[in-house]
Amino acid sequence: MKISCTTPSVRPEGLQMVKDALEAQDFPREDFEWIVCSPFKYEGADKWIEERPKREGDFYNLTKAFNDLFKAASGDLIISVVDLIWFPADTLSNFWLHYDANPNACVGGIGHQYEKEVNGIPEILVWKDPRARLDQGSFYEIYPIDLELCLTSIPRQGILDVGGMDESYDQVAALGEKDMCLRMEKLGYKFFLDQSLEYKALRHPRLNGEKVWDEHYQKGCKMFDEKMAGLRDGTRSVNVGYIKDESI
């Protein structure tokens, strides 16, 4: 398998748009799979994984869901695709071209938010991706924390090399993927943004409300700073051990 598309979701209504976009891809269908992890049964993907229950103190299950998706993936290249987004038919092909040129490259697309869905595609722009810029061309290297997993390719081997995401980030909001990317950078993986890979996202409210999410995000920032300090001084391993590389 060349590509594994992975989607964590808690929104049943958010998956049809992704399914339609994947079915329209010009990349050979036999060369990619779609895996969904959710708390509800979903039969529209090639594989479905039931979301694990929360542990004591958890805010959500996102990093656990990502890790379970990564474990189930068989593709050389993992493409993270969130729900409620639409993307063009050549997206997977272009991600694969980047991987073929540089197997150590993690490549992100950019995406703006739109107000409503019209014929399966988000329309009426309401928010622009702040990473969009004109001064460095359409493809350029970025700092690892600027990579977002909305629509992004990551070599499966890189995820195995660092043991996946640190699941303690489920106690807070966000930053688990930033932590993983910075650990991958320590091993020589590079991060890029390709502005020609543009997706459209349907704007939606946070399930727990903005205030609650912001409170947990601030806690996450403190956790992130502490973990990065450990990475810098050598008291924390690059490999967090949540995913094992069975080939070793």
Side-chain angles (χ1 to χ4, degrees):
M1 185 68 65
K2 290 184 175 180
I3 291 175
S4 293
C5 299
T6 58
T7 303
S9 178
V10 292
R11 303 176 181 88
E13 73 282 0
L15 293 171
Q16 187 61 46
M17 187 182 296
V18 178
K19 180 178 174 64
D20 291 344
L22 287 172
E23 289 179 346
Q25 292 298 297
D26 61 15
F27 198 76
R29 188 62 182 87
E30 65 272 17
D31 288 337
F32 76 91
E33 62 182 351
W34 183 34
I35 314 173
V36 171
C37 181
S38 62
F40 51 86
K41 180 71 174 178
Y42 182 68
E43 297 180 348
D46 298 312
K47 299 179 186 176
W48 171 72
I49 302 169
E50 185 175 9
E51 184 181 280
R52 282 186 264 161
K54 290 181 181 179
R55 301 160 301 192
E56 184 177 353
D58 279 350
F59 175 61
Y60 60 13
N61 286 322
L62 188 56
T63 61
K64 290 191 287 294
F66 270 122
N67 278 344
D68 289 345
L69 288 163
F70 297 154
K71 290 175 189 176
S74 58
D76 295 324
L77 181 66
I78 290 176
I79 296 180
S80 175
V81 186
V82 298
D83 57 17
L84 290 173
I85 68 167
W86 172 92
F87 42 94
D90 60 355
T91 300
L92 297 193
S93 295
N94 286 324
F95 273 128
W96 184 256
L97 288 174
H98 282 305
Y99 175 73
D100 195 44
N102 182 359
N104 288 329
C106 302
V107 180
I110 64 166
H112 311 305
Q113 293 181 9
Y114 297 78
E115 184 63 32
K116 64 180 182 177
E117 182 180 346
V118 180
N119 297 322
I121 301 176
E123 300 290 356
I124 308 177
L125 180 67
V126 292
W127 180 88
K128 293 199 70 173
D129 192 328
R131 298 173 301 163
R133 56 194 299 176
L134 299 174
D135 60 329
Q136 297 196 57
S138 64
F139 181 76
Y140 52 90
E141 189 169 356
I142 58 173
Y143 190 53
I145 62 171
D146 288 330
L147 195 76
E148 301 283 350
L149 296 194
C150 297
L151 186 64
T152 294
S153 67
I154 302 177
R156 181 170 177 269
Q157 189 58 52
I159 294 171
L160 295 175
D161 287 346
V162 298
M165 289 195 187
D166 185 338
E167 294 181 7
S168 63
Y169 280 98
D170 276 349
Q171 298 169 15
V172 296
L175 299 169
E177 75 279 8
K178 312 296 186 186
D179 179 284
M180 183 180 75
C181 289
L182 284 165
R183 286 183 284 113
M184 288 179 63
E185 183 193 36
K186 289 280 189 180
L187 299 181
Y189 289 89
K190 299 295 184 180
F191 300 81
F192 301 89
L193 200 64
D194 184 348
Q195 293 190 103
S196 71
L197 296 169
E198 185 175 325
Y199 60 91
K200 289 187 170 186
L202 190 64
R203 190 169 196 172
H204 56 275
R206 300 193 188 280
L207 293 178
N208 296 292
E210 294 291 339
K211 182 178 179 181
V212 173
W213 193 92
D214 286 343
E215 290 172 352
H216 282 80
Y217 176 71
Q218 293 303 319
K219 293 178 182 178
C221 289
K222 182 178 180 181
M223 176 184 288
F224 179 81
D225 289 343
E226 292 171 351
K227 289 181 181 290
M228 288 302 104
L231 201 60
R232 288 191 298 270
D233 64 24
T235 58
R236 182 181 182 230
S237 174
V238 169
N239 190 312
V240 293
Y242 284 96
I243 300 178
K244 306 294 184 182
D245 188 347
E246 302 298 336
S247 66
I248 298 176

